Amino acid sequence: MNTTINETTWDTQKTKRLAKINVAADKGLKKLVPNDRVVELLETVIAREDKVCIEGNNQKQADFLSECLSQCNPDVLNNLHILQSVLALPSHIDIFEKGIASKVDFSFAGPQALRLAKLVQKQQIHIGSIHTYLELYGRYFIDLTPNVCLITAHSADADGNLYTGSNTEDTPAIVEATAFKSGIVIAQVNELVDDVPRVDIPADWVDFVIVAPRPNYIEPLFTRDPAQITDVQILMAMMVIKGIYAPYQIKRLNHGIGFNTAAIELLLPTYAEELNLKGKICTNWALNPHPTMIPAIESGFVESIHSFGSEVGMDDYIEKRPDIFFTGSDGSMRSNRAFSQTAGLYACDLFIGSTLQIDLQGNSSTATVDRIAGFGGAPNMGSDPHGRRHSSYGYLKAGQEATDGRVIKGRKLVVQLVETFRENMNPVFVEELDAWQLQEKMGSDFPPIMIYGDDVTHIVTEEGIANLLLCRTPEEREQAIRGVAGYTAIGMERDHEKVKELRARGIIQRPEDFGIDISKANRDLLAAKSVKDLVRWSNGTYAPPSRFRNW
Amino acid sequence: MNTTINETTWDTQKTKRLAKINVAADKGLKKLVPNDRVVELLETVIAREDKVCIEGNNQKQADFLSECLSQCNPDVLNNLHILQSVLALPSHIDIFEKGIASKVDFSFAGPQALRLAKLVQKQQIHIGSIHTYLELYGRYFIDLTPNVCLITAHSADADGNLYTGSNTEDTPAIVEATAFKSGIVIAQVNELVDDVPRVDIPADWVDFVIVAPRPNYIEPLFTRDPAQITDVQILMAMMVIKGIYAPYQIKRLNHGIGFNTAAIELLLPTYAEELNLKGKICTNWALNPHPTMIPAIESGFVESIHSFGSEVGMDDYIEKRPDIFFTGSDGSMRSNRAFSQTAGLYACDLFIGSTLQIDLQGNSSTATVDRIAGFGGAPNMGSDPHGRRHSSYGYLKAGQEATDGRVIKGRKLVVQLVETFRENMNPVFVEELDAWQLQEKMGSDFPPIMIYGDDVTHIVTEEGIANLLLCRTPEEREQAIRGVAGYTAIGMERDHEKVKELRARGIIQRPEDFGIDISKANRDLLAAKSVKDLVRWSNGTYAPPSRFRNW
């Protein structure tokens, strides 16, 4: 063996970190940094080519720190590698346009998807990869560990203990990866207090605290106005409840974002109650606190909800419902995106969401050619977890349906809930996903598919439900998809004989096959028809943002 | 809509919690509880039928609290539902034998597998489900949220801030699920200190702290003595390095436990170095601090290691290698099983492990008929994550190999590394897994399969490597497996013509096909041949437990 003494230095990261902090201290930048000196702080403690994680999800944003980073001098700070859940704010893109950062690894870029695509075209940005949230957090501990993270919390005490309030979200994952690998943790807070209501992040994990000049930005992303729910959405929601939730006895689940699933939520206290399903379905959730869940909660449908993040206006309601939500001793919620995504992956029996395009293999995508939107949490929630080992009624039943042989595993239900045409009469069902064109444009290894066809178990449209588990060949799958694709070109080209056979075998089911009375599919079935109704259901504790108040 | 005011009480859990804590306070049981009053404390703050999570993994154990629970009066405490990563200690089983608990949900029961099977037979225990670790944590936030958790930490301050030292492991996941759903958190610690070296769990998440009469038990589970590594294991390790790690350029990975993978670790500074693979493979790990990794680390092979838990004797070495390990400002490691499992699932390109049985579909199991051992982390690490969206060289290459069509996703490499016969000449390759008999005995929905054949990409034996990705039919897979199954009955019944064809197509590869000189496959190739060698490599900083010291 090699017995020469190893002369390598093994604490370069730690030494670099301390040197940065000492230089900052020499400039008078100690734990509490005044907000007019943040650009100086960042130029001091970030080095060229550092990996910098900017906290920003689809909800709360470390917006002040991000703006400060975008104001740094690109001669001092450049070639940064940005790690970020969501590219949401203009400043996130500015950082690249100004030449401060050159590479990004992220999950989702909804609001900035167009500008991001342009940056790629102008070669001002190199996209490492686009991830699902949990996957990105995983890489923080393997090969994308931040040198510096810019995070946000509600308040801090003088020591630097942080209180996130209900929007804990990504903070614990980001801080843990950074603080324990000789990184630097910088937090913006809304206010400094004598004592934080509870400690969400301990002070000794935090290096610098800044009171931002204004509260951090939070987007009310999960608020859907019941007034906008259509009769078609109500019909589809009835089919989901009677045709999927009831027969598979789905108790643990996650809903995607949008009006389709909001309609289901608002039908629980009415239609599902009529079907005598209370306590039998939809009891335990991995879900943000959707306001449209209030009637189901008040009606006793729900046992528990663990949340990725919070929702604007829901804080008071949540605090008054600690039997349902995860809350701290201070009363406010503790969300946690990493744990909720883990629960969504492994502890839920069903994910249901919407999409923009579905191909004949059942692959779905929300990519359009001129926008690089990314994924968020859907690929994780909408995948069959091969690592799962516990059973449940629905998981077993789905597993049985998927095989003619001996059952060795169950199947998570992954449901796509779409109208056959979306806005501007664009068909959802297509021969080829736009994702393939985007792949070519981006030069990536794979097309940006949101959910793989192999993982999809059911497609629900206004025409009916296609159960892909029961299909035995790719040809049957294709005809099952065509059989619910309505008047799209894909739907028109169905093999009518085969579709008839699939319906006889229960692979395709129409509303009448479930005994659904289509005439009942209208807004009278909604437990709440407006945001005002939701407020009433909450006994006035839900405080919707002003843009949702029209009374 | 329903406008009657809802009279339901929504804080029953919170009220119940406060009532328990008030009764305890009336008895003089405040935050710091003397260790001779713990039975009384548990009988006060646990209620019948409560869900109680006992911290215990394959490493550290809340052993004192578990013993105290087993000493409670079954007339007072009964029908508890125990949640637990690992049933490892006699007291874990005593709790059921004494009638204190009646149901368990867990992950692994290695040391108590036999007693557990007997309990099931005597109907003294109802097994909810057996999980993989991350799946169990997920359920803590959905439908298996603890009412009380019994955890362990290294030290506490008077406020109850906890310091876990390097064995953080499951603690953050358990405490978060309990503390934020009106549960009660009880911690045993080895010592009370004025100031904890760092805060791993904030004081306001903790209700009761007990200084245990002796330090918590920790098992040196990941220590493998190089002296026991055989020439056959070295040959297989050479095949893995040259036949899998090199061509797929595997940089991010996880190794299972055992001598087979320890051999690989000890060949990195020798064989892999000769092949000029330094910096090209095995750079970033989700792995416990295996002592057999020391030579690879010292030789500059490794960039980073994030750990599920720690390993006895490695603390000083880890503290001196902060560039490699995740350590806190106090110098000691911060492990975290939840994050490391997430990283193992989503951020690693390869998992390699061993098993007791493999069938002709490639399903593998460690179950034997009279032992209910469970799963641990292997099903999670050894599964292809359909939620993954980022690419890498190996992930893409494996995805390309798996399809003749357009590549829409990559594949994680899941490698089974086994000798064809295990101890007592039991064949590893079998027509039917013992898991099927165990399923019948347990009355469970699925046989306890550790890794599904669909997820396995390569099987490595002393006879060669079978690449299952390249197989196009179930028949080809079967012959590929037979083709490396040696002199087992399964191997003897191979179709020689087909196996020849598979070898011509590169689906089966023999050592000579890789240009491996079998004569070099001997212990001279190991970077360390003994535990003493490992200590030397570490410059004396690795302190092996006494049972591994024979000098």
Side-chain angles (χ1 to χ4, degrees):
Chain A
M1 63 164 280
N2 178 356
T3 48
T4 58
I5 290 167
N6 195 316
E7 301 287 353
T8 317
T9 311
W10 296 96
D11 58 356
T12 54
Q13 296 167 11
K14 210 165 178 169
T15 306
K16 186 176 155 192
R17 173 183 185 280
L18 275 178
K20 287 170 170 184
I21 285 179
N22 286 337
V23 174
D26 288 346
K27 295 178 180 174
L29 300 166
K30 305 274 170 74
K31 196 148 202 173
L32 294 178
V33 176
N35 60 35
D36 58 359
R37 295 191 66 190
V38 175
V39 170
E40 187 185 357
L41 173 73
L42 298 180
E43 290 180 350
T44 304
V45 300
I46 303 177
R48 292 175 193 202
E49 301 184 6
D50 267 358
K51 290 189 186 74
V52 177
C53 180
I54 305 174
E55 180 166 22
N57 210 295
N58 47 19
Q59 299 170 284
K60 77 168 175 176
Q61 297 289 343
D63 51 352
F64 176 66
L65 293 178
S66 173
E67 274 164 37
C68 290
L69 184 60
S70 76
Q71 288 158 20
C72 286
N73 182 348
D75 294 333
V76 176
L77 277 195
N78 51 57
N79 286 298
L80 300 185
H81 180 172
I82 302 292
L83 314 172
Q84 197 166 16
S85 287
V86 179
L87 287 159
L89 306 174
S91 65
H92 295 155
I93 301 291
D94 294 346
I95 290 164
F96 294 93
E97 283 188 347
K98 292 187 180 173
I100 296 163
S102 56
K103 185 172 180 182
V104 67
D105 277 276
F106 72 106
S107 288
F108 187 66
Q112 300 299 330
L114 203 63
R115 272 182 80 191
L116 178 61
K118 284 183 184 160
L119 275 186
V120 170
Q121 213 162 11
K122 289 192 281 180
Q123 299 188 307
Q124 283 185 305
I125 195 169
H126 172 61
I127 295 180
S129 290
I130 312 181
H131 308 75
T132 199
Y133 293 136
L134 200 56
E135 174 186 9
L136 187 62
Y137 307 151
R139 292 191 72 188
Y140 289 169
F141 294 90
I142 298 291
D143 64 333
L144 292 180
T145 305
N147 299 106
V148 179
C149 70
L150 311 179
I151 60 158
T152 178
H154 183 78
S155 59
D157 63 20
D159 290 335
N161 287 298
L162 302 183
Y163 170 64
T164 59
S166 59
N167 291 90
T168 313
E169 307 190 3
D170 309 29
T171 316
I174 294 170
V175 174
E176 180 151 349
T178 310
F180 291 96
K181 198 75 200 299
S182 307
I184 293 174
V185 177
I186 305 174
Q188 74 171 70
V189 298
N190 300 342
E191 53 179 2
L192 203 65
V193 295
D194 288 339
D195 291 296
V196 288
R198 70 171 188 248
V199 176
D200 284 298
I201 304 290
D204 60 353
W205 302 18
V206 179
D207 296 295
F208 299 101
V209 173
I210 295 107
V211 180
R214 58 175 193 284
N216 63 2
Y217 179 73
I218 299 184
E219 169 75 16
L221 196 67
F222 294 88
T223 301
R224 288 292 174 275
D225 186 344
Q228 294 190 42
I229 292 174
T230 65
D231 290 355
V232 171
Q233 286 164 340
I234 292 166
L235 173 64
M236 296 196 302
M238 292 168 78
M239 285 195 270
V240 168
I241 290 171
K242 198 161 184 191
I244 297 176
Y245 289 3
Y248 292 96
Q249 299 179 20
I250 298 300
K251 299 185 86 168
R252 297 176 277 154
L253 72 165
N254 168 260
H255 272 186
I257 195 172
F259 288 101
N260 290 345
T261 43
I264 300 173
E265 292 157 16
L266 291 171
L267 254 52
L268 292 176
T270 58
Y271 186 65
E273 173 89 55
E274 277 171 42
L275 295 174
N276 199 25
L277 294 172
K278 192 194 283 184
K280 295 176 187 157
I281 64 167
C282 300
T283 51
N284 300 83
W285 298 72
L287 194 79
N288 276 8
H290 293 183
T292 41
M293 283 295 290
I294 294 172
I297 294 169
E298 296 302 303
S299 304
F301 252 84
V302 178
E303 282 170 18
S304 73
I305 296 175
H306 187 265
S307 299
F308 313 92
S310 192
E311 183 64 8
V312 178
M314 287 289 282
D315 284 352
D316 191 25
Y317 178 73
I318 291 167
E319 186 162 350
K320 293 194 165 58
R321 297 291 179 265
D323 281 354
I324 305 297
F325 296 97
F326 282 71
T327 57
S329 53
D330 63 304
S332 75
M333 186 165 77
R334 166 102 172 174
S335 57
N336 188 316
R337 200 173 309 277
F339 281 130
S340 217
Q341 287 286 342
T342 299
L345 176 67
Y346 271 132
C348 287
D349 288 328
L350 175 139
F351 164 80
I352 184 166
S354 217
T355 189
L356 295 184
Q357 292 189 327
I358 299 177
D359 70 16
L360 290 168
Q361 289 76 50
N363 297 309
S364 63
S365 172
T366 57
T368 52
V369 176
D370 54 353
R371 295 164 56 88
I372 300 178
F375 301 116
N380 176 61
M381 317 287 267
S383 66
D384 183 43
H386 287 205
R388 175 170 166 170
R389 290 296 177 274
H390 77 280
S391 188
S392 70
Y393 182 85
Y395 187 71
L396 173 61
K397 180 180 165 74
Q400 288 167 332
E401 289 182 351
T403 180
D404 295 320
R406 289 205 286 189
V407 179
I408 62 169
K409 67 182 286 295
R411 275 291 291 268
K412 180 181 195 170
L413 295 186
V414 176
V415 182
Q416 294 284 9
L417 177 59
V418 292
E419 292 181 55
T420 52
F421 287 92
R422 51 191 172 93
E423 72 286 356
N424 304 323
M425 286 302 281
N426 276 310
V428 165
F429 294 91
V430 295
E431 288 279 348
E432 177 161 296
L433 301 174
D434 286 355
W436 290 102
Q437 284 177 61
L438 192 59
Q439 177 193 8
E440 205 164 303
K441 223 166 173 173
M442 288 171 61
S444 57
D445 286 345
F446 312 114
I449 288 172
M450 184 70 88
I451 294 178
Y452 295 122
D454 281 355
D455 287 321
V456 175
T457 60
H458 297 78
I459 298 176
V460 183
T461 71
E462 72 276 13
E463 205 188 355
I465 298 180
N467 179 337
L468 304 185
L469 289 166
L470 295 169
C471 297
R472 288 293 172 264
T473 63
E475 294 70 31
E476 280 192 4
R477 269 176 85 87
E478 180 181 323
Q479 289 302 328
I481 293 171
R482 289 189 190 274
V484 294
Y487 292 99
T488 62
I490 295 293
M492 304 286 276
E493 286 158 25
R494 69 185 65 176
D495 175 337
H496 288 276
E497 277 310 303
K498 186 69 187 175
V499 167
K500 211 168 145 187
E501 182 211 319
L502 295 177
R503 191 171 170 194
R505 285 164 56 194
I507 294 175
I508 290 177
Q509 292 180 284
R510 309 291 180 209
E512 56 269 34
D513 300 337
F514 306 114
I516 289 176
D517 179 358
I518 297 187
S519 71
K520 281 183 67 183
N522 64 63
R523 293 181 40 81
D524 284 341
L525 211 52
L526 294 176
K529 296 186 184 63
S530 65
V531 170
K532 199 171 182 179
D533 281 354
L534 295 174
V535 175
R536 269 198 225 113
W537 270 102
S538 78
N539 287 323
T541 58
Y542 169 45
S546 53
R547 70 164 114 148
F548 291 100
R549 291 173 181 272
N550 54 2
W551 64 92
Chain B
M1 64 163 278
N2 178 356
T3 49
T4 58
I5 288 168
N6 195 315
E7 300 288 352
T8 316
T9 311
W10 295 96
D11 58 356
T12 54
Q13 296 168 12
K14 210 167 179 169
T15 307
K16 186 177 156 194
R17 172 184 186 281
L18 275 178
K20 288 170 168 183
I21 285 178
N22 287 337
V23 174
D26 288 346
K27 295 178 180 175
L29 299 166
K30 304 274 170 76
K31 196 147 202 173
L32 293 177
V33 176
N35 59 36
D36 58 359
R37 295 192 65 191
V38 174
V39 170
E40 187 185 357
L41 173 73
L42 298 181
E43 290 180 352
T44 305
V45 300
I46 303 178
R48 291 175 194 203
E49 300 185 5
D50 266 359
K51 290 188 186 75
V52 178
C53 180
I54 304 174
E55 180 165 22
N57 210 295
N58 48 20
Q59 299 170 285
K60 78 168 174 175
Q61 298 288 342
D63 52 351
F64 176 65
L65 293 179
S66 173
E67 273 164 38
C68 290
L69 184 61
S70 77
Q71 287 158 21
C72 286
N73 183 347
D75 295 332
V76 177
L77 277 194
N78 51 57
N79 285 299
L80 300 186
H81 180 170
I82 302 291
L83 314 172
Q84 198 165 15
S85 286
V86 178
L87 287 159
L89 305 175
S91 66
H92 295 154
I93 301 291
D94 295 345
I95 290 164
F96 294 93
E97 283 189 346
K98 294 186 179 173
I100 297 163
S102 56
K103 185 172 180 182
V104 67
D105 277 276
F106 71 106
S107 288
F108 188 66
Q112 299 298 331
L114 204 62
R115 273 183 81 191
L116 179 60
K118 285 183 183 161
L119 273 186
V120 170
Q121 213 161 10
K122 290 192 281 179
Q123 298 189 307
Q124 284 184 305
I125 195 169
H126 172 61
I127 294 179
S129 290
I130 312 181
H131 308 75
T132 198
Y133 293 135
L134 200 56
E135 174 186 9
L136 187 62
Y137 307 151
R139 292 191 72 188
Y140 289 169
F141 293 91
I142 298 291
D143 63 334
L144 292 180
T145 305
N147 299 106
V148 179
C149 69
L150 311 179
I151 60 158
T152 178
H154 184 78
S155 58
D157 63 21
D159 291 332
N161 286 299
L162 302 182
Y163 169 64
T164 59
S166 58
N167 290 90
T168 313
E169 306 190 3
D170 309 30
T171 315
I174 294 170
V175 175
E176 180 150 350
T178 310
F180 291 97
K181 199 76 199 303
S182 307
I184 292 175
V185 177
I186 305 174
Q188 74 170 72
V189 298
N190 299 342
E191 54 179 0
L192 203 66
V193 295
D194 289 337
D195 291 294
V196 288
R198 70 172 187 244
V199 176
D200 284 297
I201 305 290
D204 59 353
W205 303 17
V206 178
D207 296 295
F208 299 101
V209 173
I210 296 106
V211 179
R214 56 176 192 285
N216 63 2
Y217 179 73
I218 298 184
E219 169 75 16
L221 195 67
F222 294 88
T223 300
R224 288 292 175 274
D225 186 343
Q228 295 189 41
I229 293 174
T230 65
D231 290 353
V232 171
Q233 286 164 339
I234 292 165
L235 173 64
M236 296 197 301
M238 293 167 78
M239 285 196 270
V240 169
I241 290 170
K242 197 160 184 189
I244 298 176
Y245 290 3
Y248 292 96
Q249 299 180 19
I250 298 300
K251 300 184 85 168
R252 296 176 278 155
L253 74 165
N254 168 260
H255 272 187
I257 195 171
F259 288 100
N260 289 346
T261 43
I264 301 173
E265 292 157 16
L266 291 171
L267 254 52
L268 292 176
T270 58
Y271 186 64
E273 173 89 53
E274 277 173 40
L275 295 173
N276 199 26
L277 294 171
K278 191 194 285 185
K280 294 177 187 155
I281 63 167
C282 300
T283 51
N284 301 83
W285 299 71
L287 193 80
N288 276 6
H290 294 183
T292 41
M293 284 294 290
I294 294 171
I297 294 170
E298 296 302 303
S299 304
F301 253 83
V302 178
E303 282 171 18
S304 73
I305 296 176
H306 186 264
S307 298
F308 313 92
S310 191
E311 183 64 9
V312 178
M314 287 288 282
D315 285 351
D316 191 26
Y317 178 73
I318 291 167
E319 184 162 350
K320 293 195 165 58
R321 298 291 179 265
D323 281 354
I324 305 297
F325 296 97
F326 281 70
T327 57
S329 53
D330 63 305
S332 75
M333 187 166 75
R334 165 102 171 174
S335 57
N336 189 315
R337 201 173 308 277
F339 281 130
S340 217
Q341 287 285 341
T342 299
L345 175 68
Y346 271 133
C348 286
D349 287 329
L350 176 139
F351 165 79
I352 184 167
S354 216
T355 189
L356 295 185
Q357 293 189 325
I358 299 177
D359 71 14
L360 289 169
Q361 289 75 51
N363 297 308
S364 64
S365 172
T366 57
T368 53
V369 176
D370 53 353
R371 295 164 57 86
I372 300 178
F375 301 116
N380 176 62
M381 317 287 268
S383 67
D384 183 44
H386 287 204
R388 175 171 165 170
R389 289 296 178 273
H390 77 278
S391 187
S392 70
Y393 182 84
Y395 187 72
L396 174 62
K397 179 179 165 74
Q400 287 167 333
E401 288 182 351
T403 180
D404 294 321
R406 289 204 287 187
V407 179
I408 62 169
K409 66 183 286 295
R411 275 292 290 270
K412 181 182 194 169
L413 294 186
V414 176
V415 182
Q416 294 285 10
L417 177 60
V418 292
E419 291 180 57
T420 52
F421 287 92
R422 51 191 171 93
E423 71 286 356
N424 303 325
M425 285 304 278
N426 276 308
V428 165
F429 294 90
V430 295
E431 287 280 347
E432 177 160 295
L433 301 174
D434 287 355
W436 290 101
Q437 286 178 60
L438 192 59
Q439 177 192 9
E440 206 164 304
K441 223 167 174 172
M442 290 172 59
S444 57
D445 287 344
F446 312 113
I449 288 171
M450 185 69 89
I451 294 178
Y452 295 123
D454 281 355
D455 287 320
V456 175
T457 61
H458 297 77
I459 297 175
V460 183
T461 72
E462 72 276 13
E463 206 189 354
I465 299 181
N467 179 337
L468 304 184
L469 290 166
L470 294 169
C471 297
R472 288 293 171 265
T473 63
E475 294 71 32
E476 280 191 4
R477 268 175 86 86
E478 180 181 323
Q479 289 303 326
I481 292 171
R482 290 188 190 275
V484 294
Y487 291 100
T488 63
I490 295 292
M492 302 287 275
E493 286 157 25
R494 69 185 65 175
D495 174 338
H496 288 276
E497 277 310 303
K498 186 68 187 175
V499 166
K500 210 169 146 186
E501 181 210 319
L502 294 178
R503 190 171 171 194
R505 284 163 56 195
I507 293 174
I508 290 177
Q509 292 181 286
R510 308 289 180 212
E512 57 268 34
D513 300 338
F514 305 114
I516 289 175
D517 179 358
I518 297 187
S519 71
K520 281 183 66 183
N522 64 64
R523 292 179 41 79
D524 284 341
L525 212 52
L526 294 175
K529 295 186 184 63
S530 65
V531 171
K532 198 171 182 181
D533 280 354
L534 295 174
V535 175
R536 268 197 226 114
W537 271 103
S538 78
N539 286 323
T541 59
Y542 168 47
S546 53
R547 71 165 113 148
F548 291 101
R549 291 172 181 273
N550 55 0
W551 64 92

